[in-house]
Amino acid sequence: MTMTYQEALDECDRIGAKNASDPALMASFCRGSIQILVGAASPRLVWEGAMKQGMTSRELAKLANKNPDAVHELMWL
């Protein structure tokens, strides 16, 4: 079973980013940094789109730094 955005956040909150799975780390990144990097974006929808694309947290972070418009597109997948 795939975890939900909230389950991923709960995992990261419970055990910390250092020990969290990559989906949980990505959820924490989306919650805390994505809007600073790309502007108005839904952290949950970005996370869900990135997960559908099979992205890692590192790939999403790189994309946010290089192409904010592509991050916004993730919300519509």
Side-chain angles (χ1 to χ4, degrees), residues 40-63:
S42 166
R44 181 183 60 82
L45 292 177
V46 168
W47 180 84
E48 289 174 355
M51 294 300 295
K52 287 177 185 173
Q53 291 295 306
M55 297 177 76
T56 65
S57 57
R58 181 173 285 188
E59 290 168 337
L60 179 59
K62 286 181 183 179
L63 187 64

Side-chain angles (χ1 to χ4, degrees), residues 2-44:
T2 304
M3 67 174 55
T4 66
Y5 177 68
Q6 188 60 53
E7 290 169 339
L9 288 175
D10 291 345
E11 176 189 319
C12 201
D13 290 343
R14 187 176 64 254
I15 64 175
K18 179 180 177 185
N19 298 311
S21 65
D22 194 65
L25 180 61
M26 185 189 303
S28 180
F29 170 73
C30 287
R31 174 179 59 186
S33 300
I34 205 73
Q35 291 174 323
I36 294 167
L37 294 170
V38 304
S42 166
R44 181 183 60 82

